[in-house]
Amino acid sequence: MRIMRLFVVIGWAIYPIATAIEQFLQIGGADIALAVSIAACIYVVADVINKVGFGIVAIQAAKVSSGIGEVAPSAVTTDPVTK
């Protein structure tokens, strides 16, 4: 849950930062198309990090909480004859 909270807080903070960068570039006299393109690239990176990263963490948390991927103690044996 802590990692997911960080994804939400940090991940969603990227969007206003990208908008601010776009505005600062426009105020600074940069080409509007360049400023919009840079902001769009930042938005795409933020989307990938937020959606894919959050999904991976959620799936991993679901696996851990449900016990998927764990080996049952009765399935582990050291004697191949008793198997």
Side-chain angles (χ1 to χ4, degrees), residues 3-14 50:
I3 293 171
M4 293 174 95
R5 189 177 324 128
L6 285 174
F7 265 105
V8 171
V9 171
I10 294 171
W12 283 95
I14 295 172
N50 286 327

Side-chain angles (χ1 to χ4, degrees), residues 11 14-15 38-52:
I14 295 172
Y15 296 103
I38 290 172
C41 289
I42 295 171
Y43 292 144
V44 169
V45 170
D47 281 342
V48 170
I49 290 170
N50 286 327
K51 292 177 175 85
V52 174

Side-chain angles (χ1 to χ4, degrees), residues 21-39:
I21 289 172
E22 177 185 354
Q23 294 299 316
F24 289 139
L25 286 171
Q26 289 179 7
I27 290 170
D31 184 34
I32 293 175
L34 175 66
V36 170
S37 298
I38 290 172

